[in-house]
Amino acid sequence: MTAAPVLTRPTDAATVSRRARPRVHPTNRGQGRSGWLFLAPFGLFYVAFLLGPTVWMLVTSFFNTSTVRTGLGSFAGFANYAEMLGRSDFWSSLWHTLQFTLYTTPPLVVLAFVFAVLTNRMNRGQWFFRLAFFLPFILPSATISLIWVFIFTPSTGLWASLQSALGMTPGSGMLSSPNTAMIGVAIATVWWTLGFNFVLYLAGLQEIPRELYEAAAVDGASNWQQIKSITLPLLGRTTTLVILLQIIASLKIFDQVYLMTNGGPGISTQVSLQLITGVGFTDNRLGAASAASVLLFIVIVAIAVIRQLVERAAAKREIGA
């Protein structure tokens, strides 16, 4: 037997394409337009206050732009960059910024994790510790700076009283010595911003199922073994996020230094953003300040990239093991 012939009707390519194209419901089109309308205000602010100034900073870094003269000024090429790289105060301010980052990042990560673990294990009163740790973070930098300047006041401050109670001779003050001024700013910053990382860790801990800890306890695992085998691995992404955000935030330090020490004694606590502000708005050299800002941005990006590469290499070694 032979199969019956199949009757077909010739169709052109346009008809086939029209039939194959999925139809978009009018409601979906309306939802898409509504989404763009809701995103429009943020997009305008993003372009006006972030993307636009960033592009303008990059452009003015190649010109002798001044804050007291309209226009871009004369073309300078890479002269502003060469000047900044040749200034000793640029490198000293960059070192002070990195020094502050080294002082603040480890305690802000470790202490936030420890306090979050302890709070998460409490059955009652968690709200009090959440409030107690996060409350300083919502205070403005001026308030925090005034509090800690008063604490570190020589002879009459709380720090001097604590030294006297411990049998130590009060010195000239934490913020008055070039050797300890940055440590004082770091202590104030840790107390101020610890709550943010604490909340991030606490949110990550609450996503870990309780059944894992219960099963580990049944198997005889101690609290430290549970933290080592369950908590730390499952909080790996949270820890990466906390470290990266903390490094970037510490490299952008300005408020506390400006309000507590104003870069002193001498220039022992002058950080990069303070140098940039001085060059731009005290010396009125906006082009040179923009060049210093670009260099600082390159340093921040490089440190963030190195941190991510180290994290990925460590993850690959763990997988290989």
Side-chain angles (χ1 to χ4, degrees):
M1 293 180 60
T2 59
V6 179
L7 300 179
T8 60
R9 183 175 61 183
T11 56
D12 56 358
T15 303
V16 175
S17 177
R18 195 181 303 113
R19 292 177 178 176
R21 188 183 305 137
R23 294 182 179 180
V24 179
H25 198 275
T27 305
N28 295 335
R29 290 197 186 99
Q31 291 177 351
R33 293 170 185 171
S34 300
W36 284 109
L37 288 176
F38 279 110
L39 287 174
F42 171 78
L44 292 176
F45 277 95
Y46 182 82
V47 172
F49 297 104
L50 183 62
L51 186 61
T54 302
V55 175
W56 179 251
M57 175 191 69
L58 183 62
V59 171
T60 55
S61 66
F62 294 101
F63 290 85
N64 291 319
T65 309
S66 175
T67 56
V68 297
R69 186 176 58 247
T70 59
L72 286 174
S74 60
F75 182 72
F78 289 95
N80 291 327
Y81 291 93
E83 178 189 350
M84 288 294 108
L85 292 174
R87 291 179 56 162
S88 59
D89 56 350
F90 172 80
W91 292 106
S92 64
S93 64
L94 182 60
W95 163 244
H96 296 152
T97 305
L98 296 175
Q99 186 182 19
F100 175 82
T101 303
L102 293 174
Y103 285 163
T104 56
T105 300
L108 280 172
V109 174
V110 176
L111 292 178
F113 173 77
V114 172
F115 289 138
V117 170
L118 294 176
T119 303
N120 189 58
R121 288 178 174 270
M122 299 186 64
N123 297 324
R124 296 181 179 180
Q126 280 196 17
W127 66 270
F128 172 77
F129 291 97
R130 292 179 186 176
L131 179 63
F133 283 112
F134 192 74
L135 185 60
F137 184 73
I138 67 176
L139 297 176
S141 58
T143 303
I144 299 300
S145 300
L146 289 175
I147 291 174
W148 282 93
V149 166
F150 175 75
I151 291 175
F152 290 136
T153 300
S155 302
T156 59
L158 182 62
W159 178 252
S161 301
L162 180 60
Q163 287 179 311
S164 300
L166 295 177
M168 303 169 59
T169 303
S172 59
M174 178 74 75
L175 303 178
S176 302
S177 172
N179 298 323
T180 59
M182 186 61 78
I183 297 176
V185 176
I187 292 173
T189 304
V190 170
W191 181 82
W192 178 30
T193 60
L194 180 67
F196 181 76
N197 295 341
F198 167 80
V199 170
L200 291 179
Y201 270 123
L202 191 60
L205 286 169
Q206 292 178 349
E207 294 297 324
I208 300 177
R210 290 279 184 179
E211 292 77 8
L212 296 178
Y213 295 104
E214 294 174 358
V218 170
D219 292 337
S222 63
N223 291 332
W224 167 244
Q225 290 174 335
Q226 294 177 24
I227 293 175
K228 182 180 178 181
S229 303
I230 300 175
T231 307
L232 289 176
L234 294 181
L235 285 181
R237 292 185 177 181
T238 302
T239 302
T240 300
L241 175 64
V242 168
I243 293 176
L244 188 59
L245 291 178
Q246 188 57 55
I247 290 175
I248 294 175
S250 297
L251 290 173
K252 297 189 298 181
I253 173 66
F254 174 75
D255 294 1
Q256 306 93 294
V257 171
Y258 183 78
L259 294 170
M260 294 178 66
T261 65
N262 196 23
I267 59 171
S268 59
T269 58
Q270 185 185 52
V271 291
S272 295
L273 285 184
Q274 188 177 6
L275 173 69
I276 292 169
T277 303
V279 173
F281 298 102
T282 302
D283 300 338
N284 297 318
R285 301 185 59 207
L286 191 60
S290 298
S293 301
V294 173
L295 293 173
L296 178 61
F297 175 76
I298 292 173
V299 171
I300 293 175
V301 171
I303 292 177
V305 170
I306 292 173
R307 173 69 185 83
Q308 290 296 97
L309 292 177
V310 171
E311 183 70 22
R312 290 182 180 179
K316 289 181 179 178
R317 285 197 299 268
E318 290 180 0
I319 295 174

